[in-house]
Amino acid sequence: MTQPISVIAKSLTRERQRTGLSLAEIARRAGIAKSTLSQLEAGNGNPSIETLWSLCVALDIPFARLLEPQAVKTQVIRRGEGTKVLAEHANFEAILLATCPPGARRDLYILTAQPGADRISHPHPPGSVEHIIVTRGRAMVGLTESPEELNAGDYICYPADQAHIFKALEPDTEAIMMAEQN
């Protein structure tokens, strides 16, 4: 059976970028040549289990993470849907929209957009995810090839390491955006 070198290559690149360390530093920590790591990240080579294990130790990740493709997909939660928790002594409810992966960075923004001025974004660094809640108006949001129409109160998350769009469908459309980088 052949190793899934393309999955390993993407995983190595993603995990090294997550650490913020250079090729040279990860290679040094793993006790391998920088050129070897570069080749592996390019999807070339046939790494031994020992080499992969050393890289996992250097990256501080479980071995299985190298063999599992990162599966970030688009998720839409309409207003009033989702996992709801009610307070016992107050008229208060909380609906969970998303959890934060360990080690992720999240930045929070308020967006205001007008029709005719679409925001088309190029892919962000590998592993990036955006979460958007429309608070007023309507918008087409998500991956450029398959955006979703959202109304006020709707939530979407999508892999922002692919081209994506925010297109206002009504004047003064507003949204809250959380940008996450792993």
Side-chain angles (χ1 to χ4, degrees), residues 7-171:
V7 171
I8 291 169
K10 288 178 185 172
S11 296
L12 283 172
T13 303
R14 177 188 70 235
E15 294 302 323
R16 182 180 57 77
Q17 289 175 343
R18 177 191 55 80
T19 68
L21 298 174
S22 67
L23 272 168
E25 181 58 20
I26 294 296
R28 185 192 68 75
R29 291 181 182 192
I32 65 171
K34 178 182 167 185
S35 60
T36 300
L37 179 54
S38 179
Q39 289 287 319
L40 292 175
E41 284 193 6
N44 300 320
N46 187 18
S48 68
I49 193 167
E50 293 82 8
T51 298
L52 294 177
W53 193 267
S54 295
L55 286 165
C56 289
V57 170
L59 292 164
D60 194 27
I61 60 170
F63 186 80
R65 189 169 301 166
L66 285 184
L67 305 176
E68 298 172 341
Q70 189 173 25
V72 178
K73 56 186 175 212
T74 300
Q75 176 187 14
V76 177
I77 299 177
R78 301 291 178 196
R79 183 182 184 129
E81 296 178 353
T83 304
K84 187 182 297 187
V85 180
L86 302 174
E88 186 175 351
H89 300 291
N91 187 10
F92 182 87
E93 69 181 34
I95 297 175
L96 177 65
L97 299 178
T99 59
C100 185
R105 172 188 170 156
R106 284 191 167 172
D107 300 324
L108 194 59
Y109 302 88
I110 294 176
L111 309 177
T112 304
Q114 304 299 329
D118 305 348
R119 173 65 177 139
I120 299 173
S121 299
H122 296 288
H124 301 319
S128 296
V129 176
E130 288 185 357
H131 305 260
I132 292 185
I133 302 168
V134 174
T135 56
R136 180 170 58 187
R138 291 182 312 117
M140 295 295 290
V141 184
L143 301 179
T144 54
E145 73 269 4
S146 59
E148 295 280 341
E149 183 174 335
L150 302 180
N151 296 303
D154 290 345
Y155 160 83
I156 187 171
C157 75
Y158 50 86
D161 55 4
Q162 299 175 42
H164 50 284
I165 186 170
F166 188 101
K167 176 180 181 170
L169 300 175
E170 294 180 4

